[in-house]
Structures are given as structure tokens and as C-alpha cells.
Amino acid sequence: MNEVMKTILHRRAIRRFDQRQIPEDVLEQILQAGLYAPSAGGRQGVLFVVCQDREINERLGKIKRANSRPHMATATSYVSKEQPSIADDPKLTNAFYDAPTVITLFAPKGFLFAPEDCAVAAENMMLAADALGAGSCYIGQGWTAFADPYGQEILKKWQIPVDHYAVMQLLLGYPKEGDAHPGGKARKEGRIIRV
């Protein structure tokens, strides 16, 4: 099987991270994968803000959790039993799951395809991370992490243009020691319709 296909089939979301930081050369390759993602009209409008400051990541993750209102999981409707999400476990207070690296993807406000541009960049980076032995988790609704005075202060500190907004975060790190790689769920039948 082709190596790209092997990576696609192997990649899983990681929500329990070891505190070991990703080496710089690995991070650079992951970011390069994001920079080479498709973008609508070739605009390349996505900004990638890499934060490896544990204190900032923890505080923004807690703000995001406080501003997130997920429908909490039930016995039959949940995100993950192996690695619970903030929707699965109300005791989780950090929406970034203590990941050592958090990349926030910003895009121009009002641009029709801003979320799509960010999503394909995140997918490229998640595949690159898996191929390089790192774990990742995509977190939507990025703006909720900045929805208080501290978050606004961080946006100024990071010099984010006022015409951009946080679309999502991508968490990077290594799975917590002792955790097995999450298993894949069987693919549902009937999702491909040929006409």
C-alpha cells in the first residue's frame, strides 16, 4: 500500500498528551505541510500561530472550555470512549487537553472559504504529524479561546490583524506514555453513492 494511504488509515485524534515537546525539525515539517495545503484561489490567507508556552495554552484552553457549550455525551452518543473529549467528560477543564504545542489557524473575516482553507491546512498538518510519529487533534470554533479580556490581550500580543479571526486550533504532541494508539472504527456502509 502507498505510504500516504497508510498514513491516512493510521491517523487518529489524540486527546491525552505527554508533556514532551515536539522537536523543532518535526514541527517545521508539519508547518510546511500546512503552508502547502490547497487554498481557495491560491490566496494563502491562513495564518499559523504556534504557541508552545504552557501557561498561555492552558489559560486559553480553559477559556475555550468555559465558552464551549457542547451537548454532553450520552451512553449512545459520544465522541470517544478511548480518549474522552470535553463533550464526553465534564471534568476536563482544558479544551486543549494539555497539548504542549497549540497552533491556532487564523483567516480573514468575511472570506467565503476561510473555514475550508483552515480545514485543509489542518488535515495536511495532521497527516504530516502522524507520518512523523507525533499526535494531533483538530479543535473547531477557535474564536471561543479568545472570548474574554485575556484572550483579547493575547491577540494583541501576537499581533493578529483585526481583520482575521481564529477559525480552529490544532493540538500537537506525543500520546501520553502508556496509551495505545487509538483504534479505528469500522467504516459505515452505504456512504459512497455512484451515479
Side-chain angles (χ1 to χ4, degrees), residues 125-183:
M125 292 190 291
M126 289 186 292
L127 291 172
D130 189 84
L132 294 165
S136 65
C137 188
Y138 163 112
I139 307 289
Q141 300 181 338
W143 59 89
T144 57
F146 303 96
D148 85 345
Y150 177 79
Q152 293 299 301
E153 177 185 315
I154 291 297
L155 292 176
K156 288 179 188 158
K157 179 180 176 183
W158 290 351
Q159 300 179 352
I160 302 303
V162 295
D163 63 344
H164 281 61
Y165 74 108
V167 177
M168 65 187 60
Q169 280 87 20
L170 180 65
L171 314 180
L172 295 173
Y174 294 102
K176 195 165 251 187
E177 195 170 325
D179 276 6
H181 186 74

Side-chain angles (χ1 to χ4, degrees), residues 29-146:
Q29 290 178 72
I30 293 168
L31 289 167
Q32 186 173 27
L35 291 172
Y36 276 84
S39 62
R43 292 171 58 120
Q44 301 180 47
V46 177
L47 303 178
F48 304 84
V49 177
V50 180
C51 185
Q52 295 182 314
D53 183 308
R54 183 179 170 88
E55 184 180 320
I56 291 173
N57 286 341
E58 184 174 345
R59 191 146 174 205
L60 291 175
K62 287 182 176 185
I63 292 166
K64 183 171 181 62
R65 175 64 179 101
N67 288 314
S68 296
R69 308 256 186 272
H71 294 286
M72 296 311 287
T74 65
T76 57
S77 177
Y78 52 87
V79 176
S80 174
K81 295 244 183 213
E82 294 172 306
Q83 294 193 51
S85 77
I86 61 171
D88 299 318
D89 186 351
K91 291 179 269 173
L92 290 172
T93 60
N94 183 346
F96 297 158
Y97 305 106
D98 299 317
T101 298
V102 177
I103 301 174
T104 302
L105 285 75
F106 291 88
K109 294 175 183 174
F111 179 55
L112 182 61
F113 298 111
E116 290 83 353
D117 284 355
C118 289
V120 294
E123 178 68 8
N124 267 21
M125 292 190 291
M126 289 186 292
L127 291 172
D130 189 84
L132 294 165
S136 65
C137 188
Y138 163 112
I139 307 289
Q141 300 181 338
W143 59 89
T144 57
F146 303 96

